[in-house]
């Protein structure tokens, strides 16, 4: 069970940051993950009054506040148009609408959960996180960083020319994914992103230029084999390492064929 | 701490513990349609509308709801009565425990999308678990209600 002594709606990021420096204080996003843990929290720091619940768009980027919910991501037409529907595809099976109306993008990305559909799809784009003290860091770097007491303020997605495909394998709709597999072509760069390995999602680039000559069933097969050899998998109750590697190969091949040249 | 929540149209103030969950506050105020079916944010039984949007009251602090409007099934009887008879006609419920959550989320679905396809119904209601039925009764009931509106 989780106990909380005090609840504060921060009136500024500075106030939230200062409160968050105390070891047993915590930022609350949607609180869904936090609630699964037990322990005692001194002060729950709520960012809900800081205007971080909107998705703003300019010609260059999307700026997504940390308190934006997964449901807002799902319903945001411009973000889904840019991502070829990949964002919606990534979040649509996360429990249910009521859950996605609470779960935040800030909590999802800060958490860097191994199983995360959200981390996987944002890694497939040209994405950065804005940290209150740490400034702007690429999501790829952030995904490898240790947990600290900084505050994730927003997610920035630069509108690099992109084609993106998202697929995940679940034993049952609304369950955690057994594997997540996104593929994007950002400018001229192909990136496969594999998550729920069950470790954190990783980006695997086409460093041998297997797709340089265009997409064909042969090049898709070769790239999928390459990705499967690079993405380290492990076993857990949802599937064995071998099964996951098999899925990585199959889903990546499918993603390459779907994305086309 | 002090909170103020508009519950089913009535403004209520209260003094609560910081970690009181919204579901427990609502039941304390007599809203017994709001039930706890799991401890893992998975079942949808505790669904209420916050500012018109369906949320899991078991997974949010009552303090977060302060300054907002919460509707439970107690306050939405009239809207629910439009379609619940169609669910009953299909023998949707066995134990009926999941029913309030289903009804609340169906209200939210129909407000957002008055003429959903079967796929849209299934995906909107995917976060409402029923341990007795296979969900076909619920789908048939909602479909029958939608068809009746077109006649
Ligand atoms: C039962 C269950 C099933 C799930 N299934 C899936 C799934 O299939 N796919 C998937 O992708 N995800 C899944 N998730 C994860 C979910 O989508 C969210 O990513 C998760 O709940 C965290 O989001 P939150 O808003 O609830 O964060 P919280 O629980 O509030 O916070 C999580 C952590 O992040 C910290 N935090 C929150 N916001 C910030 C911030 N702005 N700055 C700094 N720190 C912050 C908190 O202090 C906490 O440590 C599941 C979660 C649950 C509980
Ligand atoms: S009680 Fe199960 S989701 Fe709230
Ligand atoms: S009828 Fe028993 S849980 Fe749904």
């Amino acid at each position: 069970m989780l106990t909380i002594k005090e609840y504060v709606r921060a009136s500024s990021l500075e106030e939230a940051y200062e409160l968050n420096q105390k070891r047993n204080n915590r930022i609350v996003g949607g609180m869904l993950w936090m609630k699964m843990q037990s322990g005692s929290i001194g002060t729950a720091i709520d960012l809900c009054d800081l205007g971080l619940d909107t998705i703003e768009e300019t010609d260059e980027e999307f700026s997504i506040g940390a308190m934006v919910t997964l449901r807002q991501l799902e319903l945001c037409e411009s973000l889904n148009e840019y991502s070829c529907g990949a964002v919606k595809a990534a979040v649509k099976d996360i429990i249910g609408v009521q859950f996605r109306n609470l779960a935040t993008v800030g909590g999802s990305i800060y958490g860097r959960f191994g199983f995360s559909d959200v981390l996987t799809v944002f890694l497939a784009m040209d994405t950065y996180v804005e940290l209150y003290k740490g400034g702007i860091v690429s999501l790829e770097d952030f995904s490898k960083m240790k947990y600290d007491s900084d505050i994730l303020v927003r997610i920035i997605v630069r509108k690099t020319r992109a084609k993106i495909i998202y697929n995940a394998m679940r034993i049952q709709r609304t369950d955690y994914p057994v594997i997540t597999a996104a593929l994007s072509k950002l400018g001229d760069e192909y990136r496969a992103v594999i998550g729920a390995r069950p470790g954190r999602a990783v980006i695997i680039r086409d460093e041998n230029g297997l797709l340089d000559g265009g997409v064909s069933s042969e090049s898709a097969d070769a790239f999928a084999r390459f990705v499967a050899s690079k993405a380290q998998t492990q076993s857990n109750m949802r599937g064995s390492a071998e099964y996951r590697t098999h899925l990585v190969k199959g889903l990546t091949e499918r993603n390459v064929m779907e994305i086309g040249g | 701490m002090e909170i103020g929540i508009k519950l089913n149209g009535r403004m209520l103030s209260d003094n609560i513990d910081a970690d009181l969950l919204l579901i427990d506050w609502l039941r304390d105020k007599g809203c017994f349609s709001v039930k706890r079916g799991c401890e893992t944010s998975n079942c949808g039984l505790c669904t209420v509308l916050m500012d018109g949007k369906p949320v899991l009251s078991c997974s949010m602090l009552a303090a977060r709801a302060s300054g907002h409007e919460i509707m439970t099934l107690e306050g939405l009887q009239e809207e629910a009565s439009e379609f619940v008879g169609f669910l009953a006609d299909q023998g949707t419920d066995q134990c009926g425990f999941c029913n309030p959550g289903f009804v609340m989320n169906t209200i939210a679905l129909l407000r957002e999308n008055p003429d959903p396809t079967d796929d849209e119904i299934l995906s909107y209601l995917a976060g409402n678990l029923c341990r007795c039925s296979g969900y076909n009764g619920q789908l048939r009931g909602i479909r029958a209600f939608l068809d009746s509106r077109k006649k």
Side-chain angles (χ1 to χ4, degrees), chain A residues 53-249:
Chain A
D53 57 351
T54 58
I55 303 175
E56 280 155 29
E57 186 187 1
T58 65
D59 288 347
E60 287 83 40
E61 64 189 33
F62 292 96
S63 168
I64 306 171
M67 294 300 282
V68 164
T69 65
L70 301 188
R71 182 74 177 153
Q72 281 174 276
L73 294 180
E74 182 181 358
L75 296 178
C76 179
E77 280 179 20
S78 50
L79 183 61
N80 279 296
E81 194 184 312
Y82 169 73
S83 68
C84 319
V87 169
K88 182 175 183 177
V91 301
K92 72 177 174 37
D93 288 325
I94 303 179
I95 311 280
V97 170
Q98 309 98 305
F99 181 101
R100 299 196 296 278
N101 270 330
L102 291 175
T104 62
V105 71
S108 300
I109 296 292
Y110 177 85
R112 287 159 275 188
F113 308 109
F115 55 76
S116 183
D117 293 285
V118 185
L119 181 61
T120 304
V121 77
F122 278 106
L123 278 172
M125 297 185 269
D126 193 9
T127 307
Y128 302 79
V129 297
E130 183 184 327
L131 303 168
Y132 180 60
K133 289 288 171 187
I136 294 178
V137 181
S138 78
L139 180 59
E140 186 174 11
D141 289 343
F142 184 71
S143 72
K144 295 174 192 155
M145 279 162 59
K146 289 209 176 95
Y147 295 109
D148 64 16
S149 55
D150 208 342
I151 295 179
L152 197 158
V153 181
R154 67 187 93 244
I155 314 283
I156 296 159
V157 177
R158 300 220 172 116
K159 287 182 175 171
T160 306
R161 184 168 44 87
K163 259 185 172 178
I164 307 162
I165 304 282
Y166 188 87
N167 267 302
M169 172 69 193
R170 285 177 155 76
I171 295 171
Q172 187 189 322
R173 186 178 202 170
T174 80
D175 193 6
Y176 293 99
V178 181
I179 203 85
T180 61
L183 181 78
S184 58
K185 190 175 180 196
L186 291 177
D188 292 328
E189 177 198 279
Y190 284 96
R191 7 172 122 166
V193 184
I194 307 295
R197 302 174 292 112
R200 281 182 191 172
V202 287
I203 298 179
I204 297 163
R205 294 182 171 80
D206 183 17
E207 56 202 43
N208 299 334
L210 296 167
L211 298 172
D212 281 355
V215 168
S216 62
S217 46
E218 289 75 30
S219 64
D221 177 68
F223 183 63
R225 280 178 197 284
F226 171 71
V227 172
S229 71
K230 284 276 186 180
Q232 284 179 12
T233 55
Q234 284 178 328
S235 303
N236 68 3
M237 63 184 280
R238 282 191 173 69
S240 65
E242 292 76 8
Y243 177 52
R244 284 194 159 92
T245 296
H246 188 71
L247 289 173
V248 172
K249 157 87 177 48

